[in-house]
Amino acid sequence: FGFDQAGAMGNIMFLRWVIINKGSDELDSVFVAMWHDDDLGDATDDLVGCNTDLSVGYTYNDTDGDNTYGVEAPAAGGDFFQGPIVNSPGDTATILTWGQGKGYYLRKFPDMKKLGLTSFAKYINGNPNFSDPETAEETFRYMNGLVGNTGDPYIDPTTNEPSVFVHNGDPVTGVGWVDDVPGDRRYLMSSGPFYLAPGDTQEVVGAMIIAAGSNWAKSITKMLYFDNFAQGAFDANFNVCSPPSPSIELAQLDQKVILTFEENSDVIENYNCASYSFQGYNVYQGASLNGPWTRIKTYDVVDDIKTILDLTLDEDTGELLELPSQFGTDSGLNHYVEITNDVINSRSIINHRKYYFAVTAYAYDPDAAQRVIESPINAIEAVPGGPGLGSALASGVSDTLAITHTGLSDAVFFPHVVDPYQLTNHDYEISFDIVDSVYHWYLTDTDDDELVAQDTLFPATPDYYDYANSDLEFVDLPDYYENVEIVDGFILGSNNATYAAPSGYATATTTVDADTSTSLVFGGLNATGSGTWVEFIESLAANGVTQAESAPGAEMLQLDLKVVFSDEGSIASFFNVGGLIGGTADTAWVPFEMYTVEDDRRVDIAVYLAAGSKPLYELDEDNPGSKMFAKNMYFIPVYRDYTGTMLNDHYSDGGIMGWMTSFNKNSTSFESGNEFLVTFKNPIIPGTDTYTFSGQG
């Protein structure tokens, strides 16, 4: 068994043997052994050795390189982590075992100890001292660390002393007894002897390890370094953290490749193991299906954890150095990447050529000995190319699908195409509802009548969000969440969306002014509250002013207002402070008409004058033919068709009285034909606003 990781743990296979004497004979001299015939590429240029401190045997390449791998041939090793246990008074053997329903757990055996590597032998065809065993007796001699065909001990030529460990020197430094004539090597690494009575059980645990460095010596150094991880996994009872691998979908387009990894992203991004937690994704390009690999993009969590240092093997010195291992930028997460550049060859992607890519997930624990764990590189092959004859795509990468809006909201939703080959040609609808006083949006595939996405916040991404109308950074916008979810080949974004009633005007500008000597200067909204009539009345409650019985809703307050100055003018309801306290109203003529823009409707008007009385305007002596306002006053839209009749009063009709707008008395000069527009941000009205589009690929 193994672990689905990049790096050391992804290059180790663990082995567990359960040995049971099911016969009736007592076995007093039993050995267990791992036999290796690794054949690293070309089988005729291999060498072998062992490290008795680590109980490791290994095969490596000679210094001239390999016909298959070149100078970067790997080293392959085997290790006994748990050999058989034998009698040893005063000691205690702790054995890793496995049980149904328990998994791996530890058992203690008093007065016993574990054996490690007890002998190492190699075989060479035709060699009198290292020939392949031909009988059980010869094999048993090798297990005892003796010459197979004679039973004589091996003599270490560097000490002239007998040794049960052939080539136990260090080939990297050249110290000790090392293999020096390459050939087709096999080796036998053994542990024993031990006693096995009828019914007795022994459990042995080992591993096979492979590592490739930049030459034969560095491959050995790296393999022995990887062995430390294998030992650590064994010591941890194989409770090893391994982040899940992204599931990748591939789109091969004209001079570009799209990788999407949406499918199991929720599982990956909620990954926690021990103190490790998900940190980001890496995207790689490989020189071949087996690498080497170059990182081309990282998408990481925004948490101020960027470049991560980890202990890394320096193959030249064999030392562990703290070096950068991950290169986050607080970019935020994404579930797709568009690749147009071949980073291996420093040029654009070329159609009909093979490219190799992979996406991994990595997790981080700042306090762990190994701070980063990463899922393995699972390579995929891509061959970009344009669509074939008669198969042109209706939508391409980064296109925005055409959307139809029903309703008055200023909110904009835009489905951005990520992978046109995932588009379904289905129709979709974005709708809204209020559930338990909470607003929700819903994305429905109307062809299948299937709800495919929903949330309470509006979807947006930093790539797509329109900052033009906001001074806020994306992370500061409370009504939005960073959406990276790919639905049927597109990501849904939005801007200018809100459910809240307008709290002020958005813009105010002159739209028609034929005479440049005139000037319409907006005075803004009443400063009380948000600027509506009802909130102004509330501020006068202490003065005995009767409060409005109702207030206009967002569906009224969202309507933009157009003021058209005309000779006909309008009859408006007239209020001043005295009238409010007394509950009376009057009428006044005003020199303009007022319209609500979205429904193109002329509406009634109310006028509020804080002090004084009529007349409300006078001739502009500096501009013959023009007029000026004579009083500071507010003009209030009354959301009903124009009648030119007086309101009942200021409170029973409060539910149709809107914004308190004004013009600057001292700066405004107007004439018939002038037009002025005041706009408001239109919110989404559930049940009224819907957005529909088609996912045409």
Side-chain angles (χ1 to χ4, degrees):
F1 60 93
F3 294 92
D4 198 14
Q5 279 191 26
M9 293 303 296
N11 288 277
I12 301 168
M13 181 174 70
F14 293 92
L15 309 167
R16 174 175 171 263
W17 296 272
V18 178
I19 304 165
I20 304 173
N21 183 359
K22 293 190 175 182
S24 58
D25 295 331
E26 295 184 5
L27 306 178
D28 61 1
S29 299
V30 182
F31 285 83
V32 293
M34 284 195 284
W35 180 82
H36 286 249
D37 184 10
D38 294 320
D39 291 346
L40 299 175
D42 182 354
T44 64
D45 60 0
D46 292 343
L47 301 166
V48 297
C50 66
N51 184 309
T52 56
D53 293 333
L54 299 176
S55 291
V56 172
Y58 53 90
T59 306
Y60 60 100
N61 225 243
D62 78 342
T63 56
D64 294 327
D66 181 82
N67 290 335
T68 301
Y69 291 105
V71 297
E72 296 182 354
D79 191 345
F80 278 123
F81 300 119
Q82 178 174 289
I85 58 175
V86 296
N87 289 324
S88 182
D91 290 329
T92 298
T94 301
I95 298 300
L96 181 67
T97 187
W98 185 88
Q100 187 73 36
K102 293 183 178 180
Y104 286 102
Y105 66 99
L106 299 177
R107 292 182 62 192
K108 294 184 181 295
F109 293 86
D111 297 321
M112 306 286 282
K113 70 176 181 180
K114 289 186 292 188
L115 296 178
L117 180 67
T118 58
S119 69
F120 180 86
K122 73 175 181 181
Y123 308 150
I124 305 174
N125 272 330
N127 186 290
N129 294 321
F130 300 105
S131 61
D132 288 315
E134 296 182 353
T135 66
E137 182 179 9
E138 290 183 0
T139 302
F140 191 69
R141 288 171 180 167
Y142 276 127
M143 288 180 169
N144 279 274
L146 302 173
V147 178
N149 57 0
T150 67
D152 296 331
Y154 288 108
I155 303 299
D156 181 343
T158 65
T159 64
N160 291 319
E161 296 291 334
S163 176
V164 295
F165 299 104
V166 173
H167 302 319
N168 60 355
D170 185 349
V172 175
T173 62
V175 175
W177 185 12
V178 297
D179 203 356
D180 56 2
V181 180
D184 185 5
R185 295 285 195 271
R186 281 86 80 188
Y187 68 82
L188 190 72
M189 51 186 299
S190 305
S191 185
F194 59 92
Y195 174 78
L196 197 64
D200 274 0
T201 298
Q202 290 274 4
E203 295 189 51
V204 177
V205 180
M208 298 177 67
I209 307 159
I210 190 165
S214 56
N215 61 39
W216 66 272
K218 293 176 182 178
S219 292
I220 295 173
T221 301
K222 195 170 186 178
M223 184 274 298
L224 294 175
Y225 171 64
F226 281 6
D227 181 66
N228 293 325
F229 289 87
Q231 184 69 55
F234 173 78
D235 293 342
N237 301 345
F238 296 120
N239 293 319
V240 175
C241 295
S242 297
S245 296
S247 178
I248 303 172
E249 292 192 41
L250 170 67
Q252 303 164 111
L253 306 175
D254 184 17
Q255 295 183 305
K256 70 178 65 176
V257 172
I258 305 293
L259 307 178
T260 59
F261 36 100
E262 172 72 36
E263 184 174 329
N264 60 336
S265 59
D266 55 339
V267 174
I268 293 173
E269 290 162 21
N270 287 292
Y271 174 77
N272 286 281
C273 177
S275 295
Y276 287 101
S277 59
F278 169 79
Q279 188 62 34
Y281 296 102
N282 283 322
V283 182
Y284 296 93
Q285 182 182 349
S288 71
L289 201 60
N290 297 312
W293 296 93
T294 300
R295 184 184 61 87
I296 60 177
K297 188 70 177 178
T298 294
Y299 298 109
D300 63 321
V301 176
V302 179
D303 57 3
D304 205 32
I305 298 172
K306 299 176 184 178
T307 299
I308 298 175
L309 302 180
D310 213 343
L311 291 176
T312 304
L313 176 70
D314 184 334
E315 295 176 5
D316 291 323
T317 65
E319 299 291 330
L320 292 177
L321 304 179
E322 194 169 69
L323 300 173
S325 68
Q326 297 295 332
F327 302 87
T329 60
D330 271 1
S331 65
L333 300 179
N334 212 342
H335 295 159
Y336 82 100
V337 60
E338 178 181 344
I339 302 170
T340 58
N341 188 44
D342 174 1
V343 299
I344 301 293
N345 298 297
S346 300
R347 63 190 178 198
S348 297
I349 292 287
I350 298 174
N351 283 346
H352 312 303
R353 291 198 176 188
K354 290 183 180 180
Y355 296 92
Y356 307 97
F357 300 101
V359 181
T360 65
Y362 67 95
Y364 174 58
D365 175 2
D367 299 318
Q370 182 186 1
R371 295 170 191 152
V372 174
I373 52 176
E374 188 171 1
S375 64
I377 288 179
N378 297 321
I380 60 170
E381 179 183 291
V383 182
L389 184 64
S391 60
L393 297 169
S395 301
V397 178
S398 297
D399 284 353
T400 299
L401 299 175
I403 197 162
T404 300
H405 175 210
T406 301
L408 301 179
S409 172
D410 290 331
V412 178
F413 287 83
F414 30 87
H416 283 270
V417 177
V418 171
D419 183 351
Y421 288 108
Q422 292 186 39
L423 295 176
T424 62
N425 291 321
H426 287 193
D427 292 330
Y428 298 85
E429 179 184 72
I430 304 169
S431 59
F432 310 89
D433 198 2
I434 304 174
V435 180
D436 296 330
S437 301
V438 178
Y439 287 88
H440 295 257
W441 63 265
Y442 304 94
L443 175 63
T444 303
D445 179 334
T446 54
D447 284 18
D448 290 340
D449 193 24
E450 177 186 2
L451 180 66
V452 293
Q454 64 173 319
D455 211 294
T456 56
L457 299 178
F458 296 113
T461 72
D463 289 342
Y464 299 141
Y465 189 78
D466 179 11
Y467 290 104
N469 299 315
S470 175
D471 294 329
L472 298 175
E473 293 293 332
F474 177 79
V475 294
D476 295 325
L477 294 171
D479 294 333
Y480 292 84
Y481 73 97
E482 186 176 5
N483 183 31
V484 294
E485 182 178 358
I486 301 169
V487 175
D488 295 342
F490 62 86
I491 293 178
L492 186 64
S494 64
N495 64 23
N496 213 34
T498 182
Y499 299 112
S503 58
Y505 71 95
T507 62
T509 183
T510 301
T511 57
V512 177
D513 184 4
D515 186 348
T516 57
S517 65
T518 59
S519 176
L520 304 179
V521 180
F522 192 56
L525 305 179
N526 186 279
T528 304
S530 63
T532 63
W533 174 253
V534 170
E535 292 190 27
F536 171 68
I537 293 300
E538 288 176 354
S539 71
L540 301 177
N543 297 328
V545 173
T546 304
Q547 296 298 290
E549 295 176 358
S550 61
E555 70 281 358
M556 295 182 185
L557 295 176
Q558 70 177 340
L559 299 174
D560 298 338
L561 301 175
K562 181 172 69 172
V563 177
V564 179
F565 290 87
S566 66
D567 293 334
E568 176 188 350
S570 302
I571 301 297
S573 298
F574 178 82
F575 299 96
N576 58 22
V577 173
L580 293 181
I581 296 174
T584 60
D586 196 356
T587 59
W589 184 85
V590 293
F592 58 83
E593 304 159 19
M594 185 174 285
Y595 296 82
T596 51
V597 174
E598 286 84 351
D599 52 4
D600 192 24
R601 179 175 64 151
R602 184 180 178 185
V603 296
D604 274 330
I605 304 169
V607 176
Y608 174 74
L609 188 65
S613 59
K614 299 173 279 187
L616 305 179
Y617 68 94
E618 60 191 13
L619 296 176
D620 183 355
E621 296 179 356
D622 295 329
N623 296 296
S626 299
K627 301 180 180 67
M628 298 181 64
F629 289 108
K631 308 286 185 182
N632 287 314
M633 68 196 81
Y634 291 99
F635 304 103
I636 301 119
V638 178
Y639 299 112
R640 69 182 186 188
D641 290 341
Y642 178 72
T643 63
T645 60
M646 186 175 67
L647 291 169
N648 293 323
D649 49 59
H650 72 272
Y651 52 90
S652 63
D653 288 323
I656 57 173
M657 298 177 69
W659 302 101
M660 297 181 69
T661 65
S662 67
F663 287 97
N664 186 300
K665 177 177 76 73
N666 298 322
S667 303
T668 295
S669 177
F670 58 85
E671 62 182 18
S672 294
N674 290 161
E675 294 185 9
F676 194 84
L677 180 66
V678 184
T679 65
F680 301 89
K681 186 175 181 180
N682 292 13
I684 293 169
I685 306 297
T688 299
D689 287 290
T690 59
Y691 298 78
T692 56
F693 61 94
S694 178
Q696 293 187 350

